[in-house]
Structures are given as C-alpha cells and as structure tokens.
C-alpha cells in the first residue's frame, strides 16, 4: 500500500495525493473569501495558515487564483444604469438593453410627445462615425426593436426617427442618440413642426393623449413617472 501512496509531511500530519485537488480548490475559495477560516477536505481540517507547507501543485497560482470565482460573480451582477454624455441615467429609467451589451434605450425627462424615447450606444461618443461597425449595427438593430414596441404601445400610425449627428446639426448632448417619436395624424398643426421641436429638444410627461403641449405646459417628469413608464415598456420585450 505504501508504494501506491504519494505522501508528504505538512505540520506533522500525513496527507495523501487524492486530497490535493480538494485542497487546491478549497484554498482557492479561502483566498477569495476573508471569512473562510479553515479548509475542509476529506474529513481533515487544514488551517489556512498552512498554505506555505502545501506542495506547489496544491497552491493557488498568482494571477489566476480568483479569476474563476470573480467571473462567476460578475456574470450575476445587474447593470447599474448608464451614462448619457455626462448625465447618469438610472437603471429604473432604462427599458431596453441589446443582447450584445452595446446599446440601450431609456425614457425621456421631457418628451416632445408621449412615448418619445432615446436609443443610444453604451459607449459615449459624440459622432456616429466614431462608433465601431459592431456598435453601429447594434444601435440600428436596437432602434428597430424599440420602434416596434413604441408604435404598438402608443397606438401610433407612424414614427419619427431622428439623429442630430454633431453640435452643428443641433445635438444638445455630445453622445450619439436616436430619437424615436410615435406619431398620429394631425398631432402637429404642421407636420414639419416636429423637426423644430427636435431641434429645440433638451434632455420634455406631457398630456395623456398623443398631442403636443405648448412649451409653457411642458415640465420635467418625476422619477416615479419615468420609472413607471420604463417598467411598462420593459415588459414588452
């Protein structure tokens, strides 16, 4: 039996090779958790202070020692909002995130019409040309998904899709963003007036019906109003 055993001495105790893998995994857990005080392996308790006496094969290896556990943890973390230029958008106002994690959509503080939302790349860049090809494709595909939900939810017969690509084009926030506005017949006295409203837009609820309020009637919505709208839209994806 002794010839089939790979044994070594550590702190006056005898350990066998079958325990080493368990020891290594347990040590990995211990190094990543400040609350772990002892490692249990095959019924034997090994004090954590004995790491130095373990054979090299059983010791965690430098930069890899916690990678697996950290990765598993990070995969379960929930997004914590996004940046719209320098403006932090809380996650409760975000109603759509693309599967590739490159684009998102959120509700508006001061919508021009009810259902006016913004679609953005998650990376903050000012111009569309600064996006990678992958980011650009993601942004436009995200817009298509958002369009379908907004049009149905707000019973629109058409949509305005607008992008002001740079400051001289009327961009108010230096972050690429697409305006999605649900439209119905005669919601503006002159159809092209919507473009003037977009040009005047500064990151505006409005009346319940799909009608355009006068500027003096526009107001910043409450956090609760915006969170409620986002929650409703989020369930539609």
């Amino acid at each position: 039996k002794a010839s089939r055993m790979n044994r070594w001495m550590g702190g006056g105790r005898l350990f066998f090779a079958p325990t080493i893998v368990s020891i290594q995994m347990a040590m990995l857990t211990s190094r990543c958790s400040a609350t772990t005080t002892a490692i249990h392996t095959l019924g034997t308790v090994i004090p954590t202070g004995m790491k130095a006496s373990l054979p090299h094969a059983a010791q965690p290896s430098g930069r890899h020692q916690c990678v697996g556990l950290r990765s598993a943890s990070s995969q379960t973390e929930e997004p914590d909002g996004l940046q719209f230029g320098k403006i932090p958008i809380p996650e409760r106002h975000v109603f759509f995130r693309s599967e590739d994690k490159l684009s998102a959509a959120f509700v508006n503080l001061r919508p021009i019409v009810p259902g006016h939302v913004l679609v953005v790349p998650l990376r903050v860049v000012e111009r569309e040309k600064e996006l990678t090809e992958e980011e650009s494709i993601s942004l436009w595909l995200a817009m298509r998904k958002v369009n379908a939900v907004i049009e149905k939810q707000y019973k629109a017969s058409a949509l305005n899709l607008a992008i002001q690509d740079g400051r001289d084009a009327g961009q108010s926030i230096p972050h690429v963003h697409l305006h999605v506005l649900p439209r119905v017949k005669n919601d503006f006295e002159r159809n092209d007036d919507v473009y003037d409203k977009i040009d005047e837009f500064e990151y505006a609820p409005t009346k319940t019906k799909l009608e355009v309020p006068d500027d003096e009637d526009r107001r910043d919505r409450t956090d609760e109003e915006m969170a409620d709208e986002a929650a409703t839209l989020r369930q539609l994806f």
Side-chain angles (χ1 to χ4, degrees), residues 187-203:
D187 53 357
F188 283 85
E189 185 175 348
R190 290 175 58 253
N191 200 42
D192 286 350
D193 286 347
V194 67
Y195 300 109
D196 294 332
K197 292 293 183 182
I198 292 173
D199 283 342
E200 296 165 5
F201 173 79
E202 293 182 9
Y203 186 80

Side-chain angles (χ1 to χ4, degrees), residues 92-93 107-109 205 219-229:
R92 60 187 173 276
H93 296 173
V107 298
N108 237 320
L109 177 65
R219 63 181 177 84
D220 289 357
R221 296 197 288 173
T222 66
D223 176 83
E224 185 178 3
E225 287 173 318
M226 295 173 71
D228 286 348
E229 182 186 24

Side-chain angles (χ1 to χ4, degrees), residues 95-169:
F95 63 87
F96 173 80
R97 285 181 177 271
S98 61
E99 292 182 2
D100 57 19
K101 300 181 180 179
L102 296 176
S103 305
F106 55 93
V107 298
N108 237 320
L109 177 65
R110 306 184 72 219
I112 293 171
V113 295
H116 174 194
V117 300
L118 299 178
V119 185
V120 298
L122 290 178
R123 188 166 67 93
V124 179
V125 296
E126 182 176 355
R127 300 291 306 280
E128 201 278 339
K129 67 182 181 181
E130 297 176 58
L131 296 173
T132 65
E133 183 174 306
E134 187 180 12
E135 288 172 324
S136 184
I137 291 171
S138 173
L139 179 66
W140 291 96
L141 290 178
M143 182 193 69
R144 293 186 65 178
K145 293 179 180 179
V146 170
N147 290 350
V149 167
I150 293 297
E151 184 167 332
K152 183 176 181 179
Q153 177 67 11
Y154 291 92
K155 299 178 173 56
S157 57
L159 297 168
N160 273 113
L161 310 174
I163 178 172
Q164 296 153 301
D165 192 25
R167 182 176 180 179
D168 291 338

Side-chain angles (χ1 to χ4, degrees), residues 36-61:
T36 303
T37 57
I39 303 166
H40 295 266
T41 169
L42 300 183
T44 305
V45 178
I46 305 175
T48 52
M50 285 181 57
K51 171 185 173 292
S53 66
L54 291 174
H56 178 75
Q59 297 184 24
S61 56

